[in-house]
Amino acid sequence: MINVTKTFLPPVEEYQAYVRSIFQRSWLTNNGPLLNELEEKLKEYLSVQNLLFLSNGTVAIQIAIKAFELSGEIITTPFSYVATTSSIVWEQCKPIFVDINPFSLNIDYLKIEEAINERTSAILATHVFGNPCNVEKIQRIADKYGLKVIYDAAHCFGTIYKGKSIFEYGNVSTTSFHATKLFHTGEGGAVFTNNPEILRKMSLLRNFGHTSPVSFDGIGINAKNSELHAAMGICVLKYMDEIQEKRKTQWDYYKNKLSNLEVNFIEITEGTDNYNSSYFPIIFKTEKCLLNAVGLFNSKNIFPRRYFYPSLNTVNYVDSQQCPISESISKRILCLPLYHDLSLKEQDMICEILYTNQNELL
Ligand SMILES: *Cc1c(COP(=O)(O)O)cnc(C)c1O
């Protein structure tokens, strides 16, 4: 079976060595030594100033919204994983969807201003598939109207934009270290910010608001992560350069091999110094063509995924708003299998199926 992704697992002995040390310390969570070690190693690997390791990427978005005490309306993208939208609603704010650019698949900055009104408090955009948003344009709009900018950078591990980690842009960036993501800790996530006050606030929010065992500063939640998860992260991080290199080759291989296919590819944003090759989406001409391809794949035990479907402006807990580009693309987009040990032979087979599908539909 070939799935859209496969979790990279380090050699079990390497993980076991950390587990043994956790057993010796009997220290499983609450700001443990492995958690601190992982945070330090991630800061160094990503060249970022600050980060807080959290229990997942969804609570990361929720904590970012809470830290700024956002209310009213948040401008967001309809083309992302559902957690981007659900977190806004969960935090009692109203998502206002701005349609996407059909090439980058990110929020179309040209359409943001017309969605702003006196209730708007922030822009929450996703760098979808690890492809940077137009961060300069978005920042300029935010400055003009006094809005906060939060980036859902769940797909962005390793993406470098204009010489800096993409996590360094916006007031806060959030990410996910879920097992299906490029870098993972089993379950996990993080927030990034260069604002010391917001960093302090998010650190309190992560741990019930505790300032000491007997005192609290504001409301908090349990968004901490454990030593076992941190250990997984430390083990996986060692292999990230290797994984990145491999992915790049695989990504380029698909791109070349599929160049004669009647599909569209995403356009990587200009100024991206390192694209992390996190996903390989293709956009079919019609949904029928996509469904046909999925059928053919599944019959051969290959399971690509419809990332991202449905368009988030259509989920049943938001007011209906139209985003024709996102709705159209989400019906026609499919992410091909891409993971560290996918072989060239398997990639050839996948490409072969796509060409066959195209001929069948003629
Ligand atoms: C995976 C993902 C999340 C949620 O992260 P979890 O760690 O699974 O909670 C949020 N946003 C996007 C865009 C994602 O892909």
Side-chain angles (χ1 to χ4, degrees):
M1 187 169 84
I2 300 175
N3 271 323
V4 65
T5 190
K6 181 167 147 189
T7 303
F8 171 84
L9 286 171
V12 68
E13 307 74 41
E14 296 183 12
Y15 188 64
Q16 277 167 339
Y18 281 101
V19 171
R20 218 165 287 126
S21 80
I22 294 169
F23 271 61
Q24 277 157 10
R25 282 188 295 275
S26 295
W27 188 351
L28 273 80
T29 187
N30 286 358
N31 203 26
L34 294 180
L35 180 128
N36 285 303
E37 183 179 332
L38 177 64
E39 287 188 339
E40 288 312 311
K41 287 198 158 132
L42 283 172
K43 276 188 222 170
E44 192 190 320
Y45 187 84
L46 297 165
S47 298
V48 297
Q49 309 262 329
N50 305 297
L51 100 172
L52 298 170
F53 181 44
L54 303 177
S55 48
N56 61 67
T58 304
V59 85
I61 304 171
Q62 291 164 4
I63 278 185
I65 295 173
K66 265 280 194 286
F68 288 111
E69 298 170 32
L70 299 179
S71 62
E73 298 182 354
I74 298 181
I75 288 173
T76 191
T77 175
F79 191 72
S80 182
Y81 183 58
V82 71
T84 316
T85 296
S86 66
S87 300
I88 294 173
V89 178
W90 197 270
E91 292 304 323
Q92 318 283 329
C93 296
K94 181 175 177 188
I96 300 296
F97 295 97
V98 165
D99 212 348
I100 56 171
N101 173 295
F103 305 106
S104 71
L105 308 187
N106 288 323
I107 196 166
D108 186 347
Y109 71 88
L110 291 169
K111 294 178 180 155
I112 291 179
E113 278 197 80
E114 62 200 57
I116 294 174
N117 61 43
E118 63 285 352
R119 295 181 297 278
T120 311
S121 60
I123 299 167
L124 199 177
T126 301
H127 305 294
V128 80
F129 303 131
N131 191 29
C133 289
N134 198 320
V135 291
E136 292 93 357
K137 293 286 181 7
I138 291 174
Q139 193 57 54
R140 206 167 306 155
I141 296 167
D143 290 343
K144 182 168 165 193
Y145 295 93
L147 306 177
K148 298 290 185 260
V149 180
I150 298 171
Y151 285 113
D152 180 344
H155 308 155
C156 293
F157 196 90
T159 295
I160 298 171
Y161 179 75
K162 297 199 173 159
K164 279 202 304 192
S165 164
I166 195 71
F167 296 138
E168 295 278 89
Y169 293 87
N171 295 104
V172 170
S173 282
T174 69
T175 199
S176 166
F177 301 146
H178 184 259
T180 55
K181 304 296 204 270
L182 191 51
F183 166 78
H184 79 93
T185 59
E187 289 275 1
V191 283
F192 305 81
T193 186
N194 289 326
N195 177 328
E197 179 52 24
I198 291 301
L199 184 70
R200 193 190 72 91
K201 245 175 144 169
M202 292 195 296
S203 151
L204 286 168
L205 285 166
R206 155 170 86 165
N207 185 25
F208 304 100
H210 269 293
T211 46
S212 83
V214 291
S215 60
F216 302 91
D217 182 1
I219 189 170
I221 196 165
N222 183 359
K224 293 178 275 98
N225 212 332
S226 79
E227 291 292 276
L228 291 152
H229 292 86
M232 180 60 81
I234 293 169
C235 292
V236 174
L237 191 59
K238 256 179 65 182
Y239 295 90
M240 280 315 292
D241 283 343
E242 232 172 274
I243 294 170
Q244 276 278 269
E245 214 168 296
K246 187 74 195 286
R247 284 235 186 198
K248 227 160 236 105
T249 327
Q250 294 165 324
W251 202 94
D252 292 342
Y253 193 76
Y254 268 143
K255 190 81 192 273
N256 286 328
K257 199 92 190 175
L258 296 176
S259 59
N260 294 319
L261 196 67
E262 288 281 310
V263 296
N264 287 320
F265 305 101
I266 55 165
E267 279 178 18
I268 304 304
T269 304
E270 216 178 295
T272 307
D273 300 317
N274 182 58
Y275 176 62
N276 66 1
S277 313
S278 48
Y279 296 86
F280 197 90
I282 56 175
I283 306 168
F284 290 91
K285 289 261 181 297
T286 62
E287 187 175 26
K288 180 165 174 284
C289 193
L290 174 141
L291 292 172
N292 208 61
V294 170
L296 278 176
F297 277 126
N298 292 357
S299 72
K300 301 223 152 59
N301 250 338
I302 301 171
F303 299 92
R305 277 286 292 269
R306 295 186 72 180
Y307 290 146
F308 288 97
Y309 177 85
S311 185
L312 297 171
N313 56 306
T314 65
V315 297
N316 71 1
Y317 49 84
V318 303
D319 289 348
S320 121
Q321 298 164 47
Q322 293 200 335
C323 298
I325 299 173
S326 175
E327 287 169 48
S328 165
I329 286 178
S330 54
K331 287 191 180 105
R332 297 183 285 118
I333 192 164
L334 189 69
C335 279
L336 300 183
L338 184 62
Y339 48 84
H340 58 283
D341 65 355
L342 184 71
S343 69
L344 280 185
K345 223 175 113 204
E346 289 168 321
Q347 283 194 281
D348 281 340
M349 182 166 71
I350 289 161
C351 296
E352 183 69 25
I353 291 170
L354 285 168
Y355 279 110
T356 308
N357 176 56
Q358 175 161 291
N359 297 334
E360 268 188 12
L361 289 174
L362 282 179

